[in-house]
Every structure is written in C-alpha cells, then in structure tokens.
Amino acid sequence: MGGGEAMPGFPHPNPLTSYWQLPPHRIAHHRTTADLPNSTTWDYVIIGSGITGAAVAYKLLTRDRALKVLMLEARTAASAASGRNGGHVRAGWHLNFAKYADAFGEDAALAFERFEAENVADMAAFVREHGVDCDFRDVQTADVFTTPEAWDEALAVVRKREEVVRRRPGAGGPFVERRVWEGEAAQERVGLPSAVGVVTYPAHTQNPYRLVCRMLELGLERGLNLQTNTMALKVAPLEAGEDKNMAKWQVVTDRGTVQTQKVVLATNAYTNALHTKLKQTGFLVPGRSQVSAIRPGSRMAHHPVMNRMSVALNDIGNGDYFMVRDADLPGAGDVLYGGGRSVSKSLHTVDDSVLNDKVVAHLQHAGRQAFGPETWGHEGESVRDWGGITCYTPDTFPLVGEDTSSATQRGLWLSVGMNGHGMGLAFRCAEALVEMMTNGAAPEWLPEPFRLERVWDKETVHLSSLKAWVTV
C-alpha cells in the first residue's frame, strides 16, 4: 500500500492489513482517470474514502448526477478505520443518556438516541436496498456488566431514560427495544458466569470494508471520480480573481493540484494534518484502536454467544467487545475481539503500521479470562492482529458542518471526530452534511451538540471522562 516515509499527522503509507481487507477489494487501487483531473473545476472535492466520504459522495450524486465530484484517498480505498473496525453496527451509546441529559439537556439526549437508532436503521436499509455483499447479519447484542457497582450505575441510567421517555411521550423515538437481564438470567443469556447484569437489543454485524467499497462503487456508477493512492497535502482558499473558473479552493496533492467550489474533509483522525486552525485547538485527538481475530476456546462450539450475538464487556478491559463470525462465512467461528484500553491507550498517534504488544497480548487471551477457563477451554490460535486510527473529541460528539470561523473558510465542510463509533454515527452525519451543503441549513434531527462551531466556543462542555464504547 504505497511506500516512503510517514509524514507527521498524515496516513502511514504502509499500514497493517486488517482481517477484512483479505482479499483486497476490486477497487482497492481504483483511479477513474489515469491522470489527476486538474483542468476541471470541481463542485466538490472529498478527501477520504471511508464510510463518511463514501456516504457523502453517494448521497450527493444520488440527488444530482450532474455534480462534478472528485474523491482523493491517500492510500487504497477504505483503508483507514472504516476498513479496520470490529464489524459491529449497533446503537451502543444508550448508557451515556444520563450524562448527556445532565450536560446538554433532555432534548439533546433524546435527539442523540434517536439519531443513533436511525443511523443503524439507515445502514441496514442501505445494505438491503442495494443487496450489498458484506456479510450483514441481524444479531442480538449485549452490554455485559460483571461487578455490582458497574451494574447499579448502568441500571440507574436505564431507569432514568425510561422515566424521561414516560414523562415526555412523543419527544423521542424511534427507540431501540432493550431488555434487562439480572443474576442467573443474565448469565444464561450470554453464557458468562461472571455476569451480574446484561442489557440486550437488536443490532448487526458485517464486513465494514466491503460495505464501504460497495458504497464507493455506487458512487462511481453515478459519476464519482475516485483517485486512490493520492495524498492530499494542503487545502487552501483561493484569493478573489485567482481562478478564472470561480473556484474557491485548491487542494494540493502529491500528484498535482485540483480546484473546487467546496472541500469536504472526511478525514477523521487525519484532519489535523490538513486543518491547522483546528489542530491548534486540540479538539481532535487521534488514537490507535486494536482488534484481534482468534479461534475460540475448545469448549465454545455450542456456547450462546456463538449464535448471532455480539457483546460489549463494559467493565472488563475498560470496554472490551467482540463478535463471532457465522458458520456460513469465511473464517467461521472466528472471534473478533477488540479493546484493551485498560492495558494501554495509544493516543496522539496516527500510525497503523505497528501495534502495541501489551494490547495484542490482552486481546488474544481476554476471551479465556472473560468466560473463565472451564467455559472457554484450551485457547485457540491467533488468526490476525490489526489496528485502526480513530479520533476523539472532548464531548464525545462528532464535528459536522461548514467552517465559519472566518470568511475565507467558507466552503470548507467537515464530518469528522466519530469517537470510535463511526458505524453508529457516520452514515447519518453524512446525510446531515449533504443537506447543509445543498439546502443551506442543518436538518432538525441533527443533534445540536454536533455543530462544528462549538470548537471555538469557550463554553463547550468537556465530557472526556465518558466511558463510551469504542467500536474499532
């Protein structure tokens, strides 16, 4: 995947290959035109080919196929976090409800829960409408707690949410239907002898790499020009009169310079490298998250979690999580186990060419620890270890909108900072961004705390202590 030295803040040219990227997709090295099309003034230049960039391109060109849309990808298609995550599609942040309500108000907490639920539903609808071959499965997902203290805290959040919904009928929804299990019922539900309490609800698992690559293909069918292995090095506004075609921005790449009316940064953890002013705020913090694919223990063949279930171990490993590949899929029975933040938090890095050995060791042995040696049996072999670069904000919400910090920044649009929860947020964020760019206003359903302007707002609420479930 490319070569050369890694520049600070930019994607590493030689990332590790994730479980999902074998084999590489047919558009991995796609270039719609052999040369970078620098004689065209583009309506949109999208930087980044992950779930955000792919969704923005697809949604723009589905609305208007006459648009001239160029996408620049530094490496191969979908080679960043979207092609590297743990394979979950779930509305997993319901346990932040109380903190969101306290910090931003009940309306914002309800709006977020509705947004997350609709994002998951929209993703499922997209897969089914287009017959996307991405191993998409309906599963039951479980938030598991193994200590009475953690379970009491979780129950308090569940009860508060229920009370708000009862008191304010019609204020939220649609909501994901969740069930609470305690004691022996919880243990039987997930087969974890250490479980004190469990919350279950419908969710999905998938191959995220193939989903995003198919989304890119649908964009290509509608007129997208995709240029992989093309590193965007600088984004700068053009001065008035500098361009005959009334372009407002230029994007300098390692293959030449292109001009455009609007720039979309779908760059998530790499945004700081292209947006110096945003970098100076310290608002976006990149970090490396890791996943291991392992063979299950020798006694796990008929265990409940092997039957279309995904699990978040909320108080183990500071939020470990896993899912199991179905019997009819390649890698049948493989356990994809992610997390390990209790061992090490690899923050302030964009290097996905290496792994933290302590995290690797934790992930490879965590299954036996979580289920217990008697339940797990002898450990199976390690299949593959990989990492992805995720991006965090102090309030746990993404940044969505136009940069209005100065007149020269108009026409620069962002949807970044997914906090490791891109499959739960990014598709709907892309829809909101497209509505803003085409209609001139944010849709009513976009939660107010997502607004980009808050980066420069001194009153911004910092909730960096939230233990939101990380899904890469």
Side-chain angles (χ1 to χ4, degrees):
M1 292 188 186
E5 298 296 322
M7 295 183 294
F10 288 87
H12 196 284
N14 295 297
L16 294 171
T17 302
S18 81
Y19 182 92
W20 308 116
Q21 294 171 306
L22 294 172
H25 197 274
R26 54 184 169 268
I27 65 164
H29 294 275
H30 180 89
R31 287 180 177 173
T32 303
T33 52
D35 297 322
L36 187 69
N38 52 17
S39 62
T40 300
T41 295
W42 297 90
D43 295 310
Y44 296 89
V45 169
I46 301 169
I47 305 176
S49 69
I51 179 68
T52 294
V56 168
Y58 165 79
K59 291 171 183 289
L60 279 171
L61 289 164
T62 297
R63 292 181 180 215
D64 184 357
R65 293 199 182 199
L67 289 172
K68 292 177 288 185
V69 182
L70 173 68
M71 179 178 289
L72 305 174
E73 168 53 53
R75 305 185 298 198
T76 59
S79 58
S82 293
R84 301 175 174 278
N85 65 47
H88 303 257
V89 183
R90 72 196 299 263
W93 281 14
H94 62 104
L95 293 171
N96 291 340
F97 183 89
K99 290 184 178 179
Y100 288 161
D102 291 343
F104 306 105
E106 291 178 359
D107 286 340
L110 290 166
F112 177 85
E113 184 166 348
R114 179 172 61 250
F115 183 95
E116 189 186 29
E118 290 180 342
N119 182 91
V120 171
D122 286 354
M123 292 268 289
F126 176 87
V127 168
R128 287 161 181 152
E129 177 185 353
H130 297 286
V132 180
D133 180 13
C134 64
D135 305 338
F136 203 81
R137 295 291 190 272
D138 298 329
V139 301
Q140 279 290 305
T141 193
D143 291 314
V144 178
F145 299 86
T146 61
T147 66
E149 296 78 14
W151 178 237
D152 287 345
E153 290 181 11
L155 269 183
V157 176
V158 171
R159 302 311 180 210
K160 176 166 184 174
R161 176 198 167 277
E162 291 175 346
E163 183 275 325
V164 171
V165 171
R166 280 195 304 269
R167 177 162 44 82
R168 303 185 58 185
F175 292 128
V176 176
E177 292 295 328
R178 296 185 171 89
R179 292 190 62 183
V180 171
W181 310 78
E182 298 189 75
E184 291 184 5
Q187 295 163 13
E188 291 176 2
R189 184 64 183 170
V190 295
L192 277 164
S194 59
V196 174
V198 171
V199 181
T200 61
Y201 46 101
H204 314 281
T205 57
Q206 64 168 350
N207 180 325
Y209 173 66
R210 280 166 46 187
L211 167 75
V212 175
C213 285
R214 182 56 186 152
M215 200 177 294
L216 290 170
E217 285 186 314
L218 291 170
L220 291 169
E221 292 171 8
R222 288 159 172 76
L224 172 67
N225 186 310
L226 170 61
Q227 297 288 322
T228 64
N229 300 298
T230 304
M231 180 86 75
L233 302 173
K234 182 180 179 181
V235 175
L238 291 168
E239 295 182 6
E242 192 173 339
D243 178 68
K244 298 178 183 178
N245 297 315
M246 300 302 292
K248 297 179 181 178
W249 290 87
Q250 64 177 353
V251 181
V252 181
T253 81
D254 57 357
R255 297 175 56 219
T257 299
V258 294
Q259 297 184 338
T260 181
Q261 294 290 324
K262 296 182 179 71
V263 177
V264 177
L265 295 184
T267 41
N268 207 35
Y270 306 104
T271 304
N272 288 334
L274 294 174
H275 198 312
T276 303
K277 186 175 181 180
L278 184 54
K279 177 182 179 181
Q280 291 171 346
T281 68
F283 205 87
L284 292 178
V285 177
R288 183 176 55 245
S289 300
Q290 294 180 204
V291 187
S292 291
I294 55 178
R295 300 293 182 194
S298 58
R299 299 177 182 174
M300 292 291 290
H302 302 292
H303 194 276
V305 300
M306 306 298 282
N307 183 25
R308 294 209 172 181
M309 177 168 278
S310 69
V311 175
L313 301 163
N314 291 61
D315 55 351
I316 294 180
N318 195 24
D320 285 3
Y321 54 92
F322 66 89
M323 53 89 80
V324 183
R325 296 282 282 168
D326 273 3
D328 62 332
L329 297 176
D334 286 352
V335 177
L336 275 60
Y337 199 107
R341 293 185 178 276
S342 60
V343 179
S344 178
K345 296 180 180 179
S346 300
L347 296 175
H348 303 286
T349 180
V350 294
D351 189 354
D352 52 7
S353 70
V354 297
L355 295 174
N356 184 307
D357 290 339
K358 292 182 179 179
V359 176
V360 171
H362 169 83
L363 298 179
Q364 290 184 357
H365 303 294
R368 192 167 190 264
Q369 178 184 352
F371 287 89
E374 293 184 1
T375 303
W376 187 261
H378 295 297
E379 289 186 327
E381 65 179 306
S382 173
V383 178
R384 178 167 291 272
D385 302 289
W386 71 97
I389 306 302
T390 43
C391 187
Y392 304 93
T393 62
D395 55 14
T396 76
F397 294 133
L399 302 175
V400 182
E402 183 181 21
D403 184 349
T404 58
S405 60
S406 68
T408 59
Q409 296 295 101
R410 301 306 292 261
L412 179 61
W413 298 82
L414 295 83
S415 185
V416 300
M418 297 297 156
N419 287 271
H421 195 37
M423 291 298 162
L425 299 174
F427 194 69
R428 197 100 172 118
C429 284
E431 177 65 25
L433 195 73
V434 168
E435 288 205 22
M436 292 180 191
M437 293 190 296
T438 57
N439 298 333
E444 292 183 359
W445 43 261
L446 182 70
E448 178 67 17
F450 285 24
R451 61 188 178 88
L452 177 63
E453 309 92 82
R454 75 186 192 278
V455 172
W456 294 280
D457 186 351
K458 295 181 180 179
E459 302 301 319
T460 294
V461 176
H462 285 225
L463 295 174
S464 56
S465 63
L466 275 178
K467 293 181 180 179
W469 184 62
V470 179
T471 55
V472 156

